[in-house]
Amino acid sequence: MQATVTAQHSAVSAEDDRALAAVFSAYTVSATCWLLFATAVGLLLAFKFGAPDFWAAKYLTFGRLRPIHTNDTFYGWASIGLVGLAYYVAARSSGTKLYSIKLAWIGLALFNLAAVAGTIALELGYNWGDLEYREWPWPIRLVFLAALLVTGWNLIGTVARRTTEDIYLSNWYTVCGVLWTCVIAIVATLPWYQHGLGQVAISGFYMHNAVGMWFTPLALGVFYYAIPKILSRPIYSYALGVFAFWTNLLFYPLLGGHHFLFSPLPWWLQTTAIVFSVAMLVPVWGGSANYLLTMRGRYRDMTHSYPLMFIFVAVIGYLFGSTQGTVEAFRSMQAIWHLTNFTVGHSHLTMYGFVTFAVWGGIYALLPLATHKSPGRLGIALHFWMALVGSFIYVIALSIGGTIQGLDWLHQRPFIQSVTDMAPYWVWRGAGGLLMFLSHIVFAWNVWRMTSGQTGNAGSPILARTEGAAA
């Protein structure tokens, strides 16, 4: 079963390979464009904290730009990038061609249509209320749901054509991630029970599951394919991967209530969310151990493989970000950190340090295999170090500043004192954000070299097999 990862796909024609490469490239290029746009908006927002009157025109206010930044990061960059990777992984791990190239292109068009329409609507002041990560008007979210349905159908059709009896572990995560998100999107759109506290409960359900049941399983599915591919060795434990899959499904859907501790939501619902947040340590630590043990004995190879370095950082981001989320879920911690800038640092640790680094690692590992073009060594090194250092500065600054901010509130100091105390940390947030954005420009250059431009000198992302690699 694990040999599927490195098996030859002789039944697939060269024409099928070219079609898959074109789809993978198009999704990557499209996602990269959204990354540049969304993070340019985010950088502007970062500087508005220190200079609120900077570009304070009607269409550049914080209230309009912030949901544009978050929604385009979620549904433009991360969603499209991960779906492109999922298509490539599904076809290659199943030893077959993509079920429908046409459906893949339709899905890409629908994803982009939703993101463009959502951005325009938010900029013009049309939204569905203050519902985090689902501010798009409901007709636009239906377009996104249609894209998910098309994607799910295509992935299932591809895996159903597999040349092996078993379904490779990556496809458990990616296919089910799409199906779970279809359910989440439908629940979040139906209006009948979304009044008063019902709306609050659904907001918690949706905002947390958009990360944990959409981005997380797709990113983990990429890990289960890319890590063995790069290292030319099987995953450490297939059984541990299956165990993490089912425990993630068991515990994650009920976490959303911990976003609303001390709210009028039923106390038992809040407590349930805390208990399940602690239980999430099981799939997080189990899955992280599986990835790290697969890399065991090959850590020195990271000096020769930036794709592996990106994925390693993503695994560490998954481990620490999720563990931090468990700690944050306790009421004693929420009393300090809730509604502070600490939570912004946490969200960037997970969505950037985990999900975004996972997408980058997957693209650098797999796109050159599809297009037979590589980025330059200097380009990929610049991207890695600027993104890593920038995100480190960003997360640490907001974590420290957010803690000080929360303690000011806890000690009932004047609110303006917390604003004054946060000011230097907002400057560091802008500095880190600037490095992160510059790394995205370098990434765009690397994507161009891997798709349409002149190939670079980075070499193959696949490392040579070492003695005892199959152990």
Side-chain angles (χ1 to χ4, degrees):
M1 186 184 304
Q2 293 170 334
T4 306
V5 177
T6 54
Q8 298 295 323
H9 49 280
S10 55
V12 181
S13 68
E15 182 180 352
D16 295 327
D17 278 345
R18 286 192 295 270
L20 179 61
V23 167
F24 189 8
S25 298
Y27 272 80
T28 300
V29 170
S30 180
T32 303
C33 292
W34 283 112
L35 174 67
L36 289 172
F37 175 75
T39 53
V41 173
L43 184 62
L44 174 59
L45 291 170
F47 285 108
K48 278 180 174 287
F49 279 96
D53 293 330
F54 178 67
W55 274 15
K58 175 181 177 181
Y59 295 105
L60 295 173
T61 58
F62 188 92
R64 296 193 189 213
L65 293 182
R66 197 268 178 179
I68 290 176
H69 167 64
T70 55
N71 281 271
D72 287 348
T73 299
F74 269 44
Y75 309 121
W77 154 242
S79 295
I80 295 176
L82 286 168
V83 168
L85 285 163
Y87 276 140
Y88 184 83
V89 169
R92 286 291 180 261
S93 62
S94 299
T96 185
K97 64 181 181 180
L98 201 61
Y99 173 73
S100 172
I101 296 296
K102 183 178 180 180
L103 282 179
W105 287 107
I106 291 173
L108 179 60
L110 290 172
F111 279 123
N112 278 293
L113 175 61
V116 169
T119 300
I120 293 173
L122 293 176
E123 183 64 6
L124 294 177
Y126 296 100
N127 58 65
W128 209 50
D130 53 346
L131 307 174
E132 194 166 23
Y133 308 144
R134 56 186 180 128
E135 292 93 344
W136 288 351
W138 68 265
I140 297 174
R141 286 186 286 117
L142 289 181
V143 175
F144 186 82
L145 175 59
L148 290 175
L149 293 172
V150 167
T151 301
W153 184 266
N154 210 6
L155 287 173
I156 292 171
T158 301
V159 174
R161 290 180 169 181
R162 65 190 181 279
T163 56
T164 58
E165 181 179 355
D166 298 304
I167 299 174
Y168 184 64
L169 189 55
S170 289
N171 296 317
W172 282 61
Y173 281 86
T174 56
V175 172
C176 290
V178 175
L179 296 180
W180 293 334
T181 308
C182 289
V183 174
I184 294 164
I186 292 171
V187 170
T189 301
L190 296 177
W192 304 305
Y193 41 78
Q194 297 204 46
H195 305 284
L197 288 180
Q199 187 183 63
V200 174
I202 296 301
S203 290
F205 171 80
Y206 181 82
M207 73 168 71
H208 215 83
N209 286 316
V211 176
M213 305 300 281
W214 174 228
F215 302 124
T216 296
L218 266 69
L220 300 184
V222 171
F223 287 166
Y224 278 112
Y225 183 84
I227 295 173
K229 190 72 174 177
I230 294 171
L231 296 176
S232 301
R233 60 165 34 164
I235 198 72
Y236 173 76
S237 171
Y238 197 93
L240 186 55
V242 173
F243 176 73
F245 172 88
W246 285 111
T247 50
N248 188 84
L249 174 60
L250 177 63
F251 299 134
Y252 207 103
L254 292 178
L255 301 191
H258 73 212
H259 284 267
F260 298 103
L261 299 186
F262 308 113
S263 75
L265 283 177
W267 198 256
W268 65 264
L269 182 61
Q270 300 177 37
T271 302
T272 301
I274 296 172
V275 171
F276 277 64
S277 296
V278 176
M280 271 301 297
L281 294 176
V282 174
V284 169
W285 288 3
S288 299
N290 210 7
Y291 309 129
L292 295 174
L293 288 170
T294 303
M295 300 179 195
R296 183 178 53 180
R298 302 293 298 275
Y299 291 112
R300 289 186 179 180
D301 290 330
M302 289 186 196
T303 59
H304 308 294
S305 173
Y306 273 102
L308 187 60
M309 290 179 72
F310 274 100
I311 291 176
F312 176 76
V313 170
V315 171
I316 297 302
Y318 173 58
L319 174 61
F320 279 89
S322 299
T323 302
Q324 183 191 66
T326 294
V327 174
E328 280 186 82
F330 291 107
R331 289 189 176 94
S332 57
M333 295 293 97
Q334 285 279 297
I336 300 172
W337 288 329
H338 192 48
L339 301 177
T340 71
N341 280 256
F342 187 95
T343 59
V344 182
H346 168 68
S347 66
H348 281 76
L349 175 58
T350 51
M351 273 303 296
Y352 199 88
F354 164 40
V355 175
T356 294
F357 268 82
V359 177
W360 285 333
I363 288 172
Y364 282 128
L366 304 179
L367 188 57
L369 303 181
T371 62
H372 308 291
K373 290 185 175 184
S374 300
R377 284 196 295 264
L378 178 60
I380 194 171
L382 280 174
H383 175 204
F384 177 80
W385 289 109
M386 284 197 296
L388 181 64
V389 173
S391 59
F392 187 86
I393 292 172
Y394 189 106
V395 172
I396 293 298
L398 290 186
S399 298
I400 296 174
T403 301
I404 294 172
Q405 186 181 30
L407 290 173
D408 283 343
W409 298 346
L410 195 64
H411 294 147
Q412 298 184 344
R413 296 191 178 106
F415 180 79
I416 194 63
Q417 181 65 46
S418 68
V419 177
T420 302
D421 290 343
M422 270 302 303
Y425 299 101
W426 283 328
V427 173
W428 281 109
R429 169 186 178 152
L434 179 60
L435 274 177
M436 293 155 69
F437 179 68
L438 291 175
S439 79
H440 304 163
I441 296 175
V442 178
F443 172 62
W445 168 255
N446 292 337
V447 168
W448 180 76
R449 298 193 76 173
M450 289 186 287
T451 53
S452 303
Q454 184 178 3
T455 187
N457 59 356
S460 172
I462 307 303
L463 296 172
R465 188 181 181 88
T466 61
E467 201 68 31

